Amino acid sequence: MEHGPAIIQILLIIAAAPLFGGLITKIKNIVRLRRGAPVLQPYWNFFKLLGKSDEVISQHASWLFKAAPYVVISSSAAALLLVPLFGGFAAAGGMGDIVAVLFILALGRFFMALAGMDAASAFGGMGSSREMFISSLAETAALVSFFALALNSGSTSFAAIAGDGVFRASSFTAGFALFLVAIAETSRIPVDNQETHLELTMVHEAMALEYSGRSLAIIEYASHIRQLVWFSLIAGIIFPLPPPSGCGAALAAASAAVFALKLLALAVIMAFTEISLAKMRLFRVADLLMFAFVAALASAVLAAGGY
Amino acid sequence: MIPSITGNFAFLSDPLSLFFVFVIFLISAPAAIYSAGYLKGDYSGGKIKLAWLLLALFVLSMLAVVSASNLVLFLIFWELMSLISYFLVIFDSGHKKSIQAGTVYIVMTHFGTALITAAFLIMYRYTHSFDVLAVKEAAYLIPDSAKGAVFLLLFFGFGAKAGIVPLHIWLPMAHPQAPSHISSIMSGVMIKLGIYGIIRFAVFTMGISHLWQGEIVMILAAVSCLVGVIYALMEHDIKKLLAFHSVENIGIILLGVGGSMMFLVMNQPALAVFSMAAGLYHLVNHAIFKGLLFLGAGSVYKATGTRDMEKMGGLIKLMPQTAFAFLAGSMAISALPPLNGFISEWLTFQAIFAGALKSAGNGVMFWITAASALALTSGLAAACFVKAFSVTFLAAPRSEKASEAKESPFSMTAPMLFLAGLTLFFGLFSPQILRVMAQVAGATLGIDTQNMKFSVLNYGVTSGLENAGAVSGWLVLAALVLLGLAAFFGLRIFYGKQRFTAGRTWGCGYYASDSRSEYTATAFSKPFRIFFSFFLMPYRKTEKATHGGYHLKYFKYETHTTPFFRTFFYEPAVAASFRLAKKVRRMQPGSIHLYLSYIFAVIILLLVFRGKF
C-alpha cells in the first residue's frame, strides 16, 4: 500500500475542508466581538441541505444544470489530489503538476458559469459574467506566480516545488500574489462577499442562486474544497519546510499538525484581511488583480535573478 | 531563362507533408459528409453539384500545396487553393456581405502571395533552383541580409494566410460568409497551410540562424492570441466569434513554432523538437475542435436561420446532439481537461517554461511575457466559450425561430459527434501522439529523435529538465469520473434518489420575467469591454424621441467597439490609395497625342538605360 497514507490524507482533508471556512468566520466574529456561528456551522448547513428531499429548479434548466454540481465537486477534489498536503507529496505522486491544477479548477468553474446562465435569470448571468471576468485575470496572475516558483525549482512539478523547502524572496512574493488570487478564487472580501445575499453585488452566490437542496450542498462543499486547494498551496509556498524524511505514524501526525498550524496562520491572516477591508466594486477588483499580476511578475523577475 | 521549371516535378512525402495530408483528410472527410445534410433544402440542385465540385477541388488543391516540391508548382497550387476558396466564400452570392468579404479575402491573400513570390525569387537568385530540396542544400549560398529579408517575406506572406495580427482582417469576414462545412475546412485546415508554409520554407528550407527570427514570430503570436480572443469576446455573431478564435489559436500554434526557432538558435535541439511538437499538436487539435465548432454553428444556423447569438437560446433541449458536440468543442478550445486543447496548451506552456529556464537575463523576461500572454488568453477563451455556449444553447429561447428549432439530420450530427470523440481521443492518447509529433518535428528540423523520449509523461528526460512536470489525460479523466461518481452514488445511497420540481426562475418576487430579461452575449462581455476599453474604444449611439419633452416615445441604444486595425490601418491605407489613384488619373486625360508622347518617352528611356537591364 504505497498510496495508503496519501489516500488517508486526502480523505481527512476533504472531510475537514468546511472546518477551514468555519474557522475564518469564527475568527472574524471573535475580532468583531460577536459570538457568531459555531465553527462547525458549515457542516450543519451541509447536512441540513442534504436533508431536503426535494429540489426546486427553474423550468428553463437543462440536464447541464443538474450535472454541474457533480462536475464542480469532482474537479475541486481532483485538483486537491495534485496538491501536496502534509508530507510534501501529493496523492497523485509525480503527476502533481502545478499548471494542471489551474486547468482542472477551470473545468469546475466553466460548468458553474454555464449553470449560472442556464436558469434564464439575469442574476445568474451576471454572476457568470463576473466570475469569468475575475477568474481570467486571476488565472493570469496565478500562472505567472507558478512560473516564478517553477523557475526556482526547475520544474512545474509539485514534487520539485514543495521538495525545495528553502525560503526565497521570490517564493514569498509569489505567495503574496497567490494570496490575492485566492481571495478572488474563494469569493472573499474585497472581491466578493460570502456573507451577503444581495443579488446585485454577489458573484459566486449569484451563479448558485437557483440551486437548492442536495445540489446546493454539493456546490458549497466544492467551494470549501477549492478554498483548501488554494490555501494549502499558499501554505506550502509561504511557509516552506523541507519534506519529512523517513516514515511512521508519529511523523505523519507531526507533519499533519504542522500543516494544520500553517493553515491556521493563513486563516488568521485571511480573517483580518476580510474585516479590515470593504468590498470593492467590480472594476476596482480588476485593479487589485492587476496588482496581483504585477506582484507575480516581480516574483518571476526575482526568481530569474536567483533570489 | 527558366530552367528549373521544366525540372523536378516530384512530390514531397516527408513526415511534415504527410502530417498535413493527415490533418486535411481528418477534417475534410467529416465536413464532406456533413455538407450532404447541410446543403439539402437550402440550395438548388445545380448549386449543390457546384458545391461538391468546388469542395473536391478545394481539398485536392490543399493536398497539392502540401506535397509540391517545386517552388513554382507550389505557387500555382497555392494560388489555385486561394481562388477556389474565394469562390467558396462568395458561394452564397445573394448576400451583399459575401461579395465584400470575398473581395477583402482575395486582396489580402494576394498580398501574401506577392510576398511569397518575392521570397521565392530571391531564393532562386542565389541558389539557381526552384526545387525545395535543392534550395535547402544550397541555402548556404544566400547571404545573411538576403536571408533575413526572405524570412520576413515568408513569415508575413504565409502569415496573411494564417491570419496573424495585423493581417487577420479578412478572416472574420470571409470565414463566416462561406457555407459552414467550408468554414470548418477553411478555419480548421486552410489557414494551417500558412503555418505549413512557414515551417516548410522558413524553417526547413532556409534554416533559422538568428534569435530575432524566433522572437518576432513569438511576439506576433502573443499579440495574435490576445487580439483574437478579445475581439471574439465582443462578438455575438457565432461564426465571427469562431473566426476570431482561429486568430487566437494560430497565435498559440505559432508560440510553439516560434519557440522552436529560438531553441534552434539557443542550441537546444531536444527542446526545439519538443516546442515544435507542441505547436503541431495544437495545430491538429485546433483543426479538430474548430472544425467541430463550425459544423455546430452551421447546424444551429440551419435550424434557426440566424447567426446572431442574441436571437438563440434554449437549443440544448431542442438540439441535444448538436449541443453536446458543441459543448465538447467549447471545452476543448477552453483547454479544459481531459480534452485535447488542455494537453497542447499545457505542452506549449511547458515549452515556454523550458525556454525561460534555459535563458538568462532579459531572455527570461521575454519568455515570462509570452507565458503571461498565453495564460490571459486561455482565461479569456474560457470566458468567451461560456458566453458562446450558454447564450446559444442554454436558458430560454430568445426568438420565435429559436423556439421552433429542430435537431439536424444524422448526416450532420454524426460528423460532429465523431469530431467530439476525437477531442477526447487526442486528449487521452497524448503520450503516443506527442511521440509522433516529435518524430515529424525532428524530421523537419533535421534532428534525430531516435533516442529521445518524448511524451507528456517524460519529455524532461531528454530535454535536460530532470523531474519536469507531467500530465496524464487518463489519470485526470479517471480522477474526475471516479470522484464525480463517488459523490453521486455516495449521496444517493445515504439520502435516496435526487428529486426535482420545476418552478419559476427567481426574479425577486417579480414573476412576469421572460426571455428578454435573460443575460445576453453583449451583457456578458460588458466587464471585458470596459476592462479592455483602451484597445476596443467602445462608443454608444443613443436616439430618443419624446412627446412634448417629458413622455418618452422611443429610445434606441447601440453600443459598438472600434475595430482598431481597420480604423487606424486599413481604412487610411485604402483612402490613401484612392487619393493616389485620383492623382494618377490626371495622366490619362484621354488625349491620344499625350499617350503617343508617353510611348515615345518610354522608348527613349529604355534606349538610354538599355545596358542596365
Side-chain angles (χ1 to χ4, degrees), chain A residues 36-56:
Chain A
V39 180
L40 294 182
Q41 187 62 40
Y43 288 100
W44 310 145
N45 287 348
F46 179 66
F47 288 113
K48 179 192 77 183
L49 286 170
L50 283 182
K52 305 271 182 196
S53 58
D54 204 14
E55 291 176 30
V56 182

Side-chain angles (χ1 to χ4, degrees), chain B residues 113-136:
Chain B
T113 311
L115 297 188
I116 298 167
T117 314
F120 284 0
L121 288 176
I122 298 175
M123 283 152 82
Y124 175 74
R125 194 192 143 155
Y126 291 102
T127 61
H128 301 289
S129 172
F130 277 122
D131 186 73
V132 172
L133 299 172
V135 173
K136 182 180 165 63

Side-chain angles (χ1 to χ4, degrees), chain A residues 45-214:
Chain A
N45 287 348
F46 179 66
F47 288 113
K48 179 192 77 183
L49 286 170
L50 283 182
K52 305 271 182 196
S53 58
D54 204 14
E55 291 176 30
V56 182
I57 63 169
S58 163
Q59 57 203 3
H60 302 297
S62 62
W63 61 264
L64 209 137
F65 188 82
K66 295 178 194 166
Y70 296 99
V71 179
V72 173
I73 197 161
S74 72
S75 83
S76 310
L80 193 63
L81 286 181
L82 299 186
V83 179
L85 302 167
F86 307 166
F89 61 90
M95 219 51 99
D97 184 89
I98 200 163
V99 181
V101 170
L102 265 192
F103 285 105
I104 291 175
L105 284 176
L107 175 70
R109 180 165 54 231
F110 189 81
F111 272 82
M112 197 62 230
L114 287 184
M117 291 287 280
D118 200 15
S121 143
F123 295 129
M126 198 183 293
S128 303
S129 161
R130 290 177 177 177
E131 169 85 358
M132 294 317 286
F133 173 63
I134 292 170
S135 69
S136 61
L137 299 179
E139 210 172 69
T140 314
L143 236 138
V144 176
S145 1
F146 288 170
F147 206 92
L149 295 170
L151 276 178
N152 279 338
S153 55
S155 161
T156 59
S157 144
F158 268 123
I161 289 168
D164 204 337
V166 188
F167 184 86
R168 282 196 177 92
S170 57
S171 302
F172 188 79
T173 321
F176 173 69
L178 284 175
F179 186 76
L180 296 181
V181 169
I183 291 176
E185 292 281 334
T186 59
S187 37
R188 293 192 170 277
I189 295 174
V191 174
D192 195 359
N193 188 351
Q194 293 187 340
E195 290 162 11
T196 183
H197 287 276
L198 178 66
E199 287 94 337
L200 291 173
T201 58
M202 30 189 213
V203 179
H204 184 264
E205 291 286 314
M207 290 191 291
L209 192 63
E210 290 294 322
Y211 278 109
S212 54
R214 189 183 298 177

